[in-house]
Amino acid sequence: MFRPMLKLAFAACAAVFATSAPAQETTLKVVSAFAENTEYVKKLESMIRKVNAEGKGLLQLNFIGGPKAMPPFEVGKAVQSGVIDIGMSTGAFYTNIMPEADALKLTQINMQEQRKNGAYDLINRIWNEKAGMQYLGRVIDYTPFHLYLNKKIDKPDLTGLKIRVTPVYRDFFAAMGATVITTPPGEVYTALERGVVDGYGWPIQGIFDANWQEKTKYRVDPGFYSAEVSLVMNLGKWKSLTQPQRDLLMRHMIATEAENDSWKVLNENDTKRQAQAGIQVITFDAATSRQYVEKAYNVAWDSMIKVSPQYGPQMRKLFSK
Ligand code: 173
């Protein structure tokens, strides 16, 4: 009874091995929407080194470059179409694919929790369906955005001020009366230098990467939202990977996310550095500060739910505390 079954099972296994091609190393092309000298790219390169060391004969990541290789607002489309395999970008840079991309800034729980509570699965349902992308994971957490200014304000009123934005900040700053001007990060320095803008949005970390401190007088506290930079992959390419290839990639993605605590230190260091560079902090009273942050979230969720009545409410439920 037992032996013929066992024999059959062996025969089936042998047949599978005989027909499957020998495992081949796959190389994936990776592009960053952020400049080479940023902390984002340092984290990416550290992950790539580990994947490549462990992935010999299985999977290799080939880092092509940053904005010099491809304009930041085109990275999403290049992933969607398969021109590149993996992009490191922020959702705000590919709202030209789907408005939902910009919702990741609204997460109030970390990646470990998102992978547990269903947020990660929801993101992938949307990213698969609407963008032809697999959302791999996030290389930054615990990092708020701030408003930086060259003109002093004493209340959250930006009437008469021109502020550089991306979709991250557009609705919030516009709701405070600002005239908003969208630019990629690479154009911020010149815009400040020429007085084209009176301020800009950016996370608490990173203004020193392109010397914006030279052209920045004030930072408004508190910060708001949670800066998001993630790895997204062409969906067809993801599906074409073997299970061991996917496992390798995901293991290192999750390990990278586990290191996101390091952002707390980076953020503290940059906050000190900003003070040393002479950047003054503008604050409001407690009630005004609370309203400022509440308004940031409410304005963003209202417009997200308007453009995505299907997924907006689901994301709000799973992304919020
Ligand atoms: O360019 C930006 O201000 C922006 O949208 C962003 C998003 C995430 C991290 C850093 C910047």
Side-chain angles (χ1 to χ4, degrees), residues 34 40 73 90 92-93 140 145 164-169 183-185 201-203 205 212 227-229:
F34 291 92
Y40 313 126
F73 297 166
T90 181
F93 292 2
I140 175 170
F145 291 102
R164 174 269 173 184
V165 298
T166 66
V168 166
Y169 330 88
T183 84
W202 193 260
Q205 194 282 331
W212 299 347
E228 173 270 324
V229 176

Side-chain angles (χ1 to χ4, degrees), residues 172 222-225 288-298:
F172 179 38
F224 52 90
Y225 307 150
T288 308
S289 294
R290 204 179 49 246
Q291 285 160 14
Y292 177 82
V293 175
E294 274 173 15
K295 182 170 176 161
Y297 281 95
N298 287 336

Side-chain angles (χ1 to χ4, degrees), residues 7-54:
K7 252 189 185 165
L8 213 65
F10 274 124
C13 282
V16 168
F17 280 121
T19 52
S20 65
Q24 274 204 337
E25 187 180 89
T26 303
T27 300
L28 302 175
K29 287 198 269 300
V30 185
V31 167
S32 163
F34 291 92
E36 273 83 356
N37 66 334
T38 58
E39 285 300 325
Y40 313 126
V41 172
K42 287 180 199 157
K43 305 242 173 218
L44 172 67
E45 284 178 324
S46 139
M47 176 175 152
I48 289 177
R49 270 195 300 276
K50 291 174 200 160
V51 169
N52 289 352
E54 209 188 312

Side-chain angles (χ1 to χ4, degrees), residues 235-288:
L235 183 58
K237 198 73 185 194
W238 168 255
K239 286 185 172 161
S240 79
L241 295 184
T242 63
Q243 198 57 46
Q245 289 173 328
R246 288 186 196 183
D247 289 347
L248 176 74
L249 198 52
M250 279 321 293
R251 197 149 28 79
H252 286 282
M253 190 74 250
I254 288 170
T256 301
E257 287 175 353
E259 290 165 9
N260 275 342
D261 268 342
S262 68
W263 283 100
K264 295 173 185 170
V265 180
L266 293 170
N267 295 343
E268 255 177 51
N269 290 346
D270 260 30
T271 307
K272 284 193 200 121
R273 240 180 119 184
Q274 286 185 22
Q276 283 158 7
I279 295 174
Q280 296 173 53
V281 180
I282 296 175
T283 53
F284 312 121
D285 63 64
T288 308

Side-chain angles (χ1 to χ4, degrees), residues 49-67:
R49 270 195 300 276
K50 291 174 200 160
V51 169
N52 289 352
E54 209 188 312
K56 290 206 174 69
L58 183 65
L59 185 73
Q60 295 288 294
L61 301 179
N62 176 19
F63 182 45
I64 312 274

